[in-house]
């Protein structure tokens, strides 16, 4: 935070970290208010008619959110926040006990601190501040099961080459098919810091799993 002064000499707080947390937009609050303090506060899993209406509203909202990133509502999982979403993505490999994971050094602690046995850090181009694609390619082995790279590096703001990384993953899948290697490999992208400044589309990014964070795009926290 930076404390400046307004035109009348009073103190004014200027937020220099509006990426970490954002105010809820009035439109977002108005859309949510009936489900928090109004008549639609009901449990959407309850069996009676009014609750079923809330459930339909919930599913409709999921569809709209999913379409905003080029996905389908049935593929959208609502969590309490990005930390839970990142942890959930890593459950996809929980049964692959010998699997290797590659992550960028820009990842959130919810990814960096996940207790995965075989975890490697991808090198970064010091001049450009982005993942070194050649280093990434050289680190992939037949046991690599997950690559996790954030869309935007939260500390320095560089946009990572996700589409190019997805291309590397696709070629690795093709090699494994030819070698009859049935070990899966997935690409996870934490796009929490990128949605408000970059067009996020899962089709163009070709990510298998994508994390978004409402609290960083003027929606509710949690």
């Amino acid at each position: 935070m930076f404390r400046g002064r307004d035109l009348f000499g009073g103190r004014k707080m200027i937020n220099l970290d509006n990426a970490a947390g954002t105010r809820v937009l009035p439109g977002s609050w108005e859309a949510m208010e009936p489900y928090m303090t109004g008549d639609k506060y009901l449990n959407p899993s309850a069996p009676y008619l009014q609750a079923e209406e809330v459930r339909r509203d919930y599913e409709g909202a999921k569809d709209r959110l999913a379409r905003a990133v080029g996905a389908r509502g049935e593929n959208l999982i609502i969590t309490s926040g990005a930390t839970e979403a990142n942890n959930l993505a890593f459950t996809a490999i929980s049964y692959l006990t010998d699997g290797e994971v590659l992550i960028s050094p820009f990842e959130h602690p919810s990814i960096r601190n996940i207790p995965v046995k075989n975890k490697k850090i991808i090198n970064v181009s010091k001049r450009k501040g982005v993942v070194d694609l050649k280093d990434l390619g050289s680190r992939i082995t037949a046991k690599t099961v997950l690559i996790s790279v954030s869309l935007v590096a939260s500390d320095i703001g560089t946009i990572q080459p996700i589409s190019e990384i997805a291309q590397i993953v696709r070629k690795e899948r093709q090699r494994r098919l030819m070698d009859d290697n049935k070990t899966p490999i997935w690409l996870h992208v934490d796009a929490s810091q990128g949605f408000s400044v970059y067009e996020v589309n899962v089709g163009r990014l070709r990510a298998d799993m994508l994390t978004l964070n409402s609290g960083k795009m003027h929606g509710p926290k949690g």
Side-chain angles (χ1 to χ4, degrees), residues 17-30:
D17 192 18
N18 200 53
T22 56
R23 283 196 179 100
V24 177
L25 288 175
S28 299
W29 173 253
E30 290 170 9

Side-chain angles (χ1 to χ4, degrees), residues 17-217:
D17 192 18
N18 200 53
T22 56
R23 283 196 179 100
V24 177
L25 288 175
S28 299
W29 173 253
E30 290 170 9
M32 289 185 61
E33 192 275 336
Y35 304 94
M36 301 176 71
T37 62
D39 295 335
K40 293 190 174 185
Y41 68 93
L42 306 170
N43 179 357
S45 298
Y48 42 87
L49 183 63
Q50 294 88 343
E52 289 178 353
E53 181 181 347
V54 175
R55 183 71 188 186
R56 286 194 295 271
D57 292 349
Y58 169 73
E59 295 296 343
K62 280 183 64 177
D63 287 339
R64 292 192 296 276
L65 285 168
R67 285 199 299 270
V69 294
R72 294 182 295 182
E74 63 194 58
N75 294 328
L76 185 67
I77 300 173
I78 305 296
T79 67
S80 66
T83 291
E84 183 183 348
N86 286 339
N87 279 264
L88 183 62
F90 274 71
T91 63
I93 62 166
S94 59
Y95 71 99
L96 298 163
T97 55
D98 293 330
E100 296 176 351
V101 173
L102 302 177
I103 69 172
S104 85
F106 304 122
E107 300 311 298
H108 187 269
S110 61
I111 290 177
R112 293 202 312 268
N113 298 334
I114 285 180
V116 177
K117 182 171 62 174
N118 302 315
K119 184 165 54 179
K120 302 176 184 176
I121 306 297
I122 308 163
N123 287 336
V124 173
S125 167
K126 293 181 180 179
R127 292 184 62 186
K128 297 182 179 180
V130 298
V131 166
D132 186 324
L133 296 177
K134 288 185 178 179
D135 181 72
L136 169 62
S138 68
R139 288 177 182 269
I140 294 175
T141 72
K143 291 185 177 182
T144 304
V145 294
L146 182 66
I147 298 171
S148 186
V149 179
S150 56
L151 176 60
V152 175
S154 59
D155 292 329
I156 60 176
T158 51
I159 297 173
Q160 301 303 306
I162 301 300
S163 297
E164 289 88 340
I165 295 172
Q167 181 73 358
I168 292 172
V169 171
R170 187 181 69 84
K171 289 181 178 179
E172 175 61 21
R173 286 192 183 123
Q174 292 173 342
R175 278 195 294 269
R176 292 184 184 187
L177 285 173
M178 294 178 65
D179 295 338
D180 198 29
N181 178 0
K182 295 182 173 59
T183 304
I185 180 170
W186 292 295
L187 172 61
H188 168 251
V189 176
D190 183 351
S192 300
Q193 295 287 157
F195 188 87
S196 60
V197 296
Y198 187 83
E199 183 182 3
V200 176
N201 183 285
V202 291
R204 283 194 283 274
L205 293 175
R206 296 186 178 181
D208 300 300
M209 296 175 282
L210 184 83
T211 295
L212 294 173
N213 188 339
S214 170
K216 297 180 186 294
M217 58 178 79

